[in-house]
Amino acid sequence: MKPKTNLDYVVLYARALRENNKLFEQQKKLIEAQLIGSKSLFRKMFGSGEKFKIGARKYLRGRGLIK
Amino acid sequence: MIKKGYILEGDVIVVDRDWTELDEFVKDFLGILKDYSDYLIVSGFVSIATGRTRGTEDVDILVPVMDENKFRDLFSELSKKDFWCYQGDEVDEVYGYLQRIENIRFARKNEMFPNIEFIPINKNRKAKYFEFTHSQRIKIKDFEFKIPPIEFEILYKEIILAGDKDIADARHLREFFADILSKEKFKEYEPIIREELK
């Protein structure tokens, strides 16, 4: 199957992963890169401790994620 | 030597990979929660834990509504172990969400994402209660946790959630677990899930 759509790639990757667990190494890198980026961004935005919570809650209210 | 992505050990799915930071976050949270309540991990983390390569902000966990004293102890323990709750620092205020069957979220202190979406359930939430009482065990190294039956998770994503991300997650699960999926289970679960649309 020659992949054409995003879903085709999802299927192709899942099939390859089922047969070869080495591909999990790439997945780990991608997931951790996202987490590191997110941590760094929000630390810069809101600092730490109580200041972080106040800033974060204000941001979350703005996005409608909390009341 | 090439090794498969997962194997079955009895009725436990064993995914053959190293932990990610996301796994460690979930493991730490469950390490506390399990002392106070049963649980079920659902949705995106099920797909990601089994190889779907995409980012996520939250990990959805179903938890039966617990009494206030037990929640008070859980909340205090989470706070001691460096988690904070989006909805508030006062347990009385946060418990009100659970009484109203509204979700709450926890993240590590000084972090926003990833977070645990703590989803209170009771018997009135029939599809959720069904998957909660029919869990599948899955293991990554020695981190074992409970997820819905894979067939249930696939159908829930295809029928109820049905966004692009959910359809892609479902396709991933269908392909990755192609060797073990059961047609009979799909048939059994579909009407239960469709009930949720009514």
Side-chain angles (χ1 to χ4, degrees):
Chain A
M1 179 186 87
K2 196 173 178 183
K4 289 177 190 156
T5 66
N6 284 344
L7 277 182
D8 292 341
Y9 280 101
V10 169
V11 170
L12 200 68
Y13 192 78
R15 190 175 300 156
L17 198 57
R18 187 179 68 217
E19 301 304 328
N20 182 0
N21 73 337
K22 278 273 172 203
L23 290 176
F24 276 118
E25 290 170 16
Q26 293 174 10
Q27 190 223 20
K28 177 175 162 68
K29 281 181 194 161
L30 185 135
I31 287 169
E32 293 188 342
Q34 187 220 10
L35 293 180
I36 289 165
S38 162
K39 270 182 208 175
S40 157
L41 173 71
F42 287 108
R43 284 266 169 91
K44 275 184 197 155
M45 280 172 77
F46 305 133
S48 63
E50 280 306 306
K51 201 174 147 199
F52 182 93
K53 283 199 275 189
I54 292 165
R57 286 187 178 127
K58 193 173 170 190
Y59 170 85
L60 291 164
R61 276 191 199 97
R63 286 182 68 191
L65 287 174
I66 59 171
K67 291 174 191 170
Chain B
M1 186 182 131
I2 294 175
K3 290 167 86 179
K4 290 218 163 207
Y6 72 95
I7 55 165
L8 275 181
E9 279 181 5
D11 58 357
V12 182
I13 296 169
V14 180
V15 181
D16 192 358
R17 64 170 177 81
D18 288 334
W19 290 339
T20 65
E21 279 189 37
L22 186 62
D23 296 318
E24 292 187 45
F25 169 73
V26 177
K27 186 172 177 286
D28 289 349
F29 189 87
L30 288 185
I32 302 166
L33 176 65
K34 281 196 273 191
D35 287 340
Y36 299 88
S37 177
D38 203 356
Y39 71 91
L40 188 77
I41 297 188
V42 299
S43 207
F45 187 70
V46 175
S47 305
I48 292 167
T50 60
R52 174 97 165 90
T53 302
R54 68 167 174 85
T56 189
E57 292 183 346
D58 50 20
V59 175
D60 298 338
I61 303 185
L62 306 186
V63 184
V65 175
M66 63 183 82
D67 71 48
E68 190 169 353
N69 284 336
K70 194 178 266 191
F71 183 70
R72 192 175 291 280
D73 293 344
L74 169 63
F75 195 84
S76 161
E77 193 62 17
L78 285 168
S79 189
K80 274 186 216 157
K81 299 259 172 78
D82 273 346
F83 285 91
W84 72 286
C85 178
Y86 281 15
Q87 277 71 18
D89 297 324
E90 300 301 323
V91 67
D92 298 334
E93 180 192 1
V94 176
Y95 188 69
Y97 285 83
L98 302 190
Q99 286 178 308
R100 297 189 296 273
I101 314 291
E102 291 175 6
N103 303 353
I104 55 177
R105 291 177 192 251
F106 293 92
R108 278 211 176 102
K109 282 182 183 163
N110 301 321
E111 291 176 12
M112 183 90 88
F113 302 118
N115 63 70
I116 298 290
E117 186 158 8
F118 186 106
I119 304 170
I121 58 159
N122 57 25
K123 287 184 180 172
N124 296 332
R125 302 183 90 170
K126 286 186 181 146
K128 288 195 181 340
Y129 201 77
F130 180 88
E131 58 182 332
F132 181 77
T133 51
H134 292 75
S135 60
Q136 162 72 55
R137 288 185 295 154
I138 185 167
K139 204 161 112 173
I140 301 158
K141 296 196 166 205
D142 67 350
F143 173 32
E144 185 178 306
F145 54 96
K146 296 197 289 183
I147 61 173
I150 301 294
E151 295 87 349
F152 193 99
E153 180 68 22
I154 289 170
L155 290 174
Y156 199 89
K157 281 182 171 289
E158 289 175 346
I159 297 169
I160 305 290
L161 302 174
D164 290 347
K165 189 173 68 175
D166 305 299
I167 297 297
D169 283 355
R171 289 296 290 273
H172 166 81
L173 294 171
R174 277 189 183 273
E175 194 60 38
F176 188 67
F177 289 112
D179 297 339
I180 60 166
L181 294 177
S182 150
K183 281 183 188 166
E184 288 70 32
K185 285 187 180 171
F186 278 118
K187 273 187 200 158
E188 180 193 348
Y189 299 152
E190 187 168 344
I192 297 163
I193 289 168
R194 290 207 178 274
E195 269 295 304
E196 191 141 317
L197 292 172
K198 291 178 184 169

